[in-house]
Amino acid sequence: MPGDVLVMGAVAYDPKVVTIWAGFRAWLADAGLPFDFVLYSNYERQVEDLVAGSLDAAWNSPLAWVRAERLAAARGRRVRSAVMRDTDQDLTSVVVVRADSGIGAVAELSGRTVGTGAVDSPQATLLPLSFLRGQGLDTADVTVRRFDVGVGLHGDHVGGERDAARALMAGEVDAACMIDGNHLLFTQEGVLPAGATRVLAQTPVFDHCTMAIVDTAPPGLADRFVELLLSMSYGDPVVRPLLDLEGLRQWRVGRTSGFGPLSTAVDESGFYGPDGSVLALGYRP
Amino acid sequence: MRGDDPALGVHLRAWCRSEGHGFGVDPDGGYDVVRGDAEQLRWAGAERAGDPSPQGVVRRPPAHWGLAARGALVEAGGPAPGFDIADRDVVWADLAPRLYAHAAAAQWDPATAVDWTIPEPLTDEVEAAVVQVMTYLVENEQAALVIPARLLARVHPHFREVLQLLAVQAADEARHMEVFTRRALMTGGQLGTSSAGGRESLNSLLNEADFSLASFLLSVLGEGSFLSLLGFLDEHAPDPVTRQVTRLARVDEARHVAFGVAHLEHEGALDPTLRGRLRAAIERRHDALVDTAGLNADVFDSLVVLAAGEWTPEAIARGHAAVQRLHATMDDGRRQRLHRLGFPDDEATELSALHTRNFM
């Protein structure tokens, strides 16, 4: 019966998503919460179903959060950012150049080629390009080369950022945009050999994924869901492997304070309209 | 934290986030890292898997200790592999660590431990007898390899020394298979016969799933009888190669028997029902084999010829008598070992007589 079970959507950006949420479902059931999840192939349909009330909660990318908030408002509904991973708070992205490139300032990117992640990647496309604009760079004078891997997954697939990093080392682009953790990862992998790149610029902090809960969700179940997620301890050997897979040490109370820069970037680039409609040209999840 | 890598701040922030540590830019330069509690939480429910020494073996190691080294600090959670032989009183013998050390030190190389030359060719009859006996030995060694190897994969790794001992036992049998095969093929390149009854007898060993009973039937009774057989072959070997390979194998087999007896003594002292189960295992096997032919007649004949040394009526009579004595020696040995396991003399005699006619 609808309303008897809390239903959450999750995007299957990787096969491990099944392991993670099937594991959490069993853990939540043991704790007495009737919970189920539905897998989506992309965030756009998940967000639409959330706002339509087919879902009670959606494990959203930051971009999906921005759209959910807009769609909900346009339809007289509300969504809340209920819970986030500790690893979703205070991230930064970097713009990287080759160490020997001679590019010493953001302004010097004018007339050059900048590699980004997929069209819908918050951390490797929307946020860094907005940040560069904010630094006074006219992006009309920059050639943006997008690496569209996993379009519809809102940058969850690391492939676009890795391809941009490879293109940087191959001399195909003059700069590449990526999240701070991936600069470390690509350095460790050797995609970006140690000492071969220089961080030209770093964005201010922003937030990443959040559990969006719509106001049509059964309030008791929704609150219990949030409460149980927040109670998960890394000291619990049953849940620890799932937290490791999902990439967190603890859940934190959700917030919206870290989504401002992305909302600005979405408006600047015309990715979504104020009502949450998809405006981005050529974006087909 | 301070450093001169220009990307230090970028990488440190990302690393702290992924590891659950706090991160901040220090107003006085450098960065502040606040240690998170994730690592402490990870090990909060950890436990020691016993103690590394043999004295640290626990009675029933839990399944989730799995492949962790005995004595290691084991993180809670993780897989619980199905090592079903997980009771100290079933597998352990205080002698196991010492026997393993001895076994490891006593490994020999078939290529160098044996002088593979036969000074003078044997008569055709005697050579054929050697080939037949070697063929039989290989078949039995193969059973003696498969059984500990199967058991080994079921024993909880907490009983490390037992695994090591069973592994070396399997390696011993592998060498025996090699040297017996090599001796058989030194002259004609053909092997002897393998009878259905002999294989039936060995098959009944493979079917014994219980660790103690399998070890009893194989090591105590079977390999115990083989000690006498290999001694007989050493004594009557018609050539130096046959003598060397049977002598080397006999030393290894003595170790296998010693472990079997030791761990059953250990178990019998703790479990008064053990002797009843051992008896039932002998009877069950006897009943299963009662309608089979037992020892391959070709093997029996070959033992007679080997002990005879030549193809004359007088020598054959001597050989036959020697084989009868071999049977008596095997019976003596079995009765002594049954006695050590606590069977009274009359019962030991009765049970020894029920042992397979195929020796192993």
Side-chain angles (χ1 to χ4, degrees), chain A residues 68-263:
Chain A
E69 203 177 25
R70 293 180 181 200
L71 267 183
R75 296 179 193 178
R77 303 241 65 91
R78 279 179 54 79
V79 287
R80 61 180 166 126
S81 168
V83 59
M84 312 171 84
R85 301 172 299 186
D86 52 358
T87 46
D88 284 317
Q89 299 187 337
D90 298 334
L91 284 71
T92 66
S93 285
V94 289
V95 181
V96 183
V97 294
R98 288 183 299 279
D100 60 1
S101 67
I103 302 173
V106 166
E108 292 169 37
L109 290 175
S110 188
R112 308 235 192 195
T113 302
V114 175
T116 69
V119 60
D120 57 343
S121 172
Q123 66 267 10
T125 305
L126 296 166
L127 283 162
L129 290 180
S130 171
F131 168 73
L132 290 176
R133 278 190 290 269
Q135 296 289 300
L137 182 71
D138 186 349
T139 46
D141 295 336
V142 173
T143 303
V144 173
R145 183 161 166 207
R146 278 199 334 248
F147 291 87
D148 278 329
V149 179
V151 171
L153 301 178
H154 291 188
D156 285 357
H157 195 296
V158 72
E161 288 176 64
R162 189 180 275 119
D163 286 352
R166 286 195 179 117
L168 175 68
M169 292 320 297
E172 296 166 16
V173 297
D174 299 301
C177 303
M178 62 198 70
I179 203 161
D180 51 12
N182 280 342
H183 187 256
L184 177 58
L185 174 71
F186 299 154
T187 305
Q188 289 167 334
E189 287 177 348
V191 171
L192 299 178
T197 62
R198 183 156 39 82
V199 174
L200 178 68
Q202 182 177 21
T203 69
V205 295
F206 57 86
D207 284 355
H208 211 255
C209 299
T210 185
M211 186 68 73
I213 296 183
V214 67
D215 59 0
T216 49
L221 292 181
D223 288 347
R224 183 72 181 137
F225 176 51
V226 172
E227 191 185 337
L228 285 171
L229 288 180
L230 290 172
S231 78
M232 285 180 176
S233 166
Y234 200 67
D236 175 353
V238 175
V239 84
R240 185 164 60 236
L242 303 172
L243 298 177
D244 281 339
L245 269 183
E246 181 56 33
L248 73 157
R249 295 293 191 275
Q250 68 179 104
W251 293 99
R252 295 217 177 130
V253 173
R255 63 186 189 188
T256 55
S257 56
F259 296 121
L262 183 58
S263 195

Side-chain angles (χ1 to χ4, degrees), chain B residues 196-245:
Chain B
R199 293 200 310 282
E200 193 78 59
S201 177
L202 293 176
N203 203 49
S204 68
L205 284 179
L206 296 186
N207 292 338
E208 183 53 73
D210 182 282
F211 182 86
S212 301
L213 302 184
S215 158
F216 175 62
L217 295 175
L218 173 71
S219 297
V220 178
L221 297 181
E223 293 181 306
S225 301
F226 256 55
L227 286 182
S228 305
L229 175 64
L230 294 168
F232 172 91
L233 293 172
D234 179 359
E235 181 186 348
H236 298 289
D239 64 87
V241 175
T242 300
R243 173 162 293 121
Q244 292 171 79
V245 294

